[in-house]
Amino acid sequence: MLQKKDFRKQAHIVADMIADHLENIEQFRVKPDLQPGDIRSRLPEYAPGNTEAFADILKAYNDIIVPGITQWQHPGFMALFPSNASYESILAEMLVSGLAVNTMNWDTSPAATELEERMLEWLRDICGLPKHWKGVLQDTASIATLTACIAAREKATHFAIQQKGSAGKTLVVYCSDQTHYSIEKAAMSAGIGKENVIKIPTDEKFALRADLLEQQMQKDIADGKLPCMVAATLGTTNSLAFDPLKAIGDICNTYRCWLHVDAAYAGTAFILEEYRHYLDGIELADSYVFNPHKWMMIQFDCSAFYVKDPMHLQKVFSYDPEYLKKQNSAAINYKDWGIPLGRRFRALKIWFVLRSMGIAGLQEKIRGHITLAQSFFNAIKNEPKWEIMAPFAMNVLCIRHVPEAGMRSEQLNAHNKELLQKINADGRFYLSGTTLRGEYVIRVVIGQSYVEEKHVESLIELLLELSASS
Ligand code: PLP
């Protein structure tokens, strides 16, 4: 085991390694060119019997691990959604790993608990969310949505499932046909059943059709089923579509159904007043999640989960064995606000980033990404052989290449899948694809912490060059 005297020296070395890595990140491919098993085969089969020099361990890290990493902090990372870091959040995480605390309740971490409470208020207020909401940090949006789904289930069944394991009725969860799969997974994990997740069709903008939601809910009620939760999305994963919150909220109100809002990625953009119109109707929501770890430069993991009624949430998740009895009844115990007992100290990185960048700095960064995406959109829009396949919102573009007029959908799908592989094989960028109503599209997300105009320009050049030769 390293001794105190060694730690300081090694910590300085590690800090330099991190700084060097980030300064030189563009020397790496964004996505390494590897086959499954390539890394594992370079790792010894058995753990070492004897001590190894720390310098050797760091060398192996540099030789084996770093080149085998998909570089999420590379400015060419434009796949999926980003998972952004900033220097501030890295430094906060370094300090947190030094404290190595477990923020299960107030007694085990008073400062971490109270900082978390305050940071959730800051995030709520800077993003224009309702003032009376209370929040808790979770690791991911998937877990926040599962938490919401369980809370909704207990509300709908008056705690029958928690107490007796059955409500005697089929519960139903509603979402759009564009919703992230975490909604379905939450319903499956909460015992509601995959078959009882009803995917409501979307309109031409890929937004949930509220009229069809209401018809479906009425039918289900007539069939003796119990509407449990509607999951609306603000910024779908496929194309960044926004569901009509107000119309959905009114329906939930009428039929007494829980409304959960998934703004995992786009929630960060509500720091900008000009996007707050998407929040119209938000006061009708029962729960809400967004991931500062996606676009807010507050690194993974950090998911902000809000509820309208924190008492209900605690009623669902509180459990007080003797060994965890509270010492102080006035204190918040976040272990009672969700599933895990043990919790990371995530609030410090929020504090560091918000203080260091300020609201204005964050707004400038997000606006900067959106401006870059707009210039990418303008360039592609003017290319005769490229098509924009979904309404363009913020900084996500769904595009495809059409080499010749009149090609069938299957041919275009195969062509664009192949083109995407070529783009990623180049190594400077990592893009991902998806399907929109059966049409394969290439997604470009311009939201990485360190992306600049020159990266967007070289992506355009690469797309044109590779598509011309395909
Ligand atoms: N919801 C949406 C809209 C997403 O895009 C994602 C992931 O990209 C998730 C939920 C799941 O997020 P997490 O990885 O935090 O569970």
Side-chain angles (χ1 to χ4, degrees), residues 81-82 240 265 275 295 366 369-371 373-374 392-397 444-448:
F81 281 136
L240 220 68
Y265 177 71
Y275 291 106
W295 194 10
I366 302 302
H369 286 158
I370 293 171
T371 307
Q374 183 69 52
F392 164 53
M394 297 176 186
N395 61 345
V396 177
L397 279 110
V444 181
V445 183
I446 301 177
Q448 213 291 322

Side-chain angles (χ1 to χ4, degrees), residues 180-200:
H180 190 267
Y181 87 99
S182 54
I183 309 294
E184 212 165 332
K185 204 167 178 182
M188 283 156 59
S189 309
I192 289 168
K194 197 172 171 176
E195 285 179 12
N196 299 314
V197 178
I198 307 292
K199 295 191 180 158
I200 306 293

Side-chain angles (χ1 to χ4, degrees), residues 47-53:
N50 291 313
T51 180
E52 293 192 35

Side-chain angles (χ1 to χ4, degrees), residues 221-246:
I221 293 169
D223 289 346
K225 296 180 182 172
L226 191 55
C228 168
M229 180 175 101
V230 176
T233 308
L234 295 182
T236 58
T237 316
N238 277 337
S239 68
L240 220 68
F242 291 81
D243 289 340
L245 218 49
K246 174 87 175 69

Side-chain angles (χ1 to χ4, degrees), residues 84-99:
N84 281 346
S86 56
Y87 286 112
E88 294 84 341
S89 74
I90 295 170
L91 293 169
E93 286 289 64
M94 285 162 78
L95 291 172
V96 165
S97 69
L99 294 174

